[in-house]
């Protein structure tokens, strides 16, 4: 049986979103497991390659733009982003803690939920040939494109590709 891989990307219509830390492990970035919320990425290449989870639960809420986060003290300013020694590291940790506390104040009614069921899609695409070129020996990639709308609704488009060689800049 051919190996399948799963990936997804979320597109927000000119809005910023925050995600609960409920995603599976992603190969394109690492979520700190001690954080309750993810603002690092809006896409995930499920890891390890070939692992197909039964469900992927994406919980999201509207959030602040980078500029709004800086004003409220929830965003790490450019000058503190990299390096800067021990004092800068302490400031980054304090800002991250403040951000997590701010997100925790988002009302429960603001959170939306999307549930993807990759195993059903593996069965659906079992005999279909993916688009484009790729490495057949590495299998198929089922990629979900989730479009979030301002009214809280969303659309999901599913694409089938051959698994490509590892991309350094996947996002």
């Amino acid at each position: 049986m051919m190996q399948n891989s799963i990936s997804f990307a979320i597109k927000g219509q000119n809005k910023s979103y925050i995600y609960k830390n409920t995603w599976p492990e992603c190969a394109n970035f690492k979520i700190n497991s001690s954080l309750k919320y993810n603002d690092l990425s809006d896409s995930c290449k499920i890891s390890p390659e070939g692992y197909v989870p039964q469900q992927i639960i994406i919980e999201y809420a509207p959030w602040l733009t980078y500029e709004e986060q800086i004003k409220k003290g929830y965003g790490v300013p450019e000058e503190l982003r990299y390096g800067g020694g021990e004092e800068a590291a302490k400031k980054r940790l304090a800002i991250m803690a403040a951000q997590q506390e701010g997100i925790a104040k988002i009302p429960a009614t603001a959170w939306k939920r999307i549930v993807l069921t990759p195993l059903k899609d593996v069965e659906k695409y079992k005999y279909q040939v993916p688009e484009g070129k790729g490495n057949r020996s590495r299998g198929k990639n089922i990629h979900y494109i989730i479009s979030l709308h301002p009214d809280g609704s969303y659309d999901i488009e599913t694409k089938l590709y051959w698994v490509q060689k590892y991309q350094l800049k996947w996002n």
Side-chain angles (χ1 to χ4, degrees):
M1 186 152 119
M2 185 169 283
Q3 178 172 293
N4 292 279
S5 293
I6 306 296
S7 60
F8 63 88
I10 304 167
K11 308 293 181 202
Q13 305 220 331
N14 299 324
K15 275 191 129 179
S16 183
Y17 293 92
I18 193 76
Y19 307 95
K20 287 189 179 180
N21 195 356
T22 56
W23 295 7
E25 185 177 328
C26 301
N28 52 315
F29 72 100
K30 181 79 172 144
I31 299 175
N32 181 337
S33 59
S34 68
L35 299 177
K36 288 184 172 184
Y37 308 101
N38 160 26
D39 72 337
L40 296 174
S41 182
D42 55 5
S43 63
C44 179
K45 185 174 184 179
I46 306 298
S47 179
E49 184 177 292
Y51 168 64
V52 179
Q54 188 169 352
Q55 284 187 333
I56 299 170
I57 298 172
I58 301 168
E59 294 180 272
Y60 66 97
W63 187 231
L64 307 171
T65 65
Y66 175 72
E67 292 78 19
E68 292 168 332
Q69 289 181 55
I70 294 294
K71 286 179 187 173
K72 284 194 168 248
Y74 296 160
V76 178
E78 204 60 47
E79 64 273 9
L80 289 178
R81 282 201 173 232
Y82 308 103
E86 195 174 312
E87 196 58 39
K90 284 181 186 178
K91 286 180 182 178
R92 283 192 298 270
L93 286 174
I95 291 168
M96 285 173 41
Q99 180 195 54
Q100 294 289 305
E101 288 175 27
I103 296 166
K105 294 176 185 173
I106 295 174
T109 56
W111 290 94
K112 306 291 182 211
R113 184 179 192 164
I114 299 170
V115 179
L116 303 175
T117 51
L119 287 176
K120 288 181 184 176
D121 288 321
V122 165
E123 193 59 35
K124 175 180 167 185
Y125 292 114
K126 190 175 192 173
Y127 299 109
Q128 289 191 24
V129 177
E131 295 177 16
K133 298 177 182 178
N135 187 341
R136 287 177 179 260
S137 66
R138 290 189 56 202
K140 299 175 183 178
N141 180 55
I142 297 172
H143 181 69
Y144 300 95
I145 302 166
I146 303 162
S147 298
L148 304 177
H149 304 295
D151 66 358
S153 65
Y154 60 87
D155 295 314
I156 300 174
E157 181 182 2
T158 307
K159 297 273 190 175
L160 184 66
Y161 300 105
W162 291 112
V163 172
Q164 299 291 320
K165 67 179 188 172
Y166 176 74
Q167 296 169 323
L168 190 59
K169 296 183 178 176
W170 192 78
N171 284 344

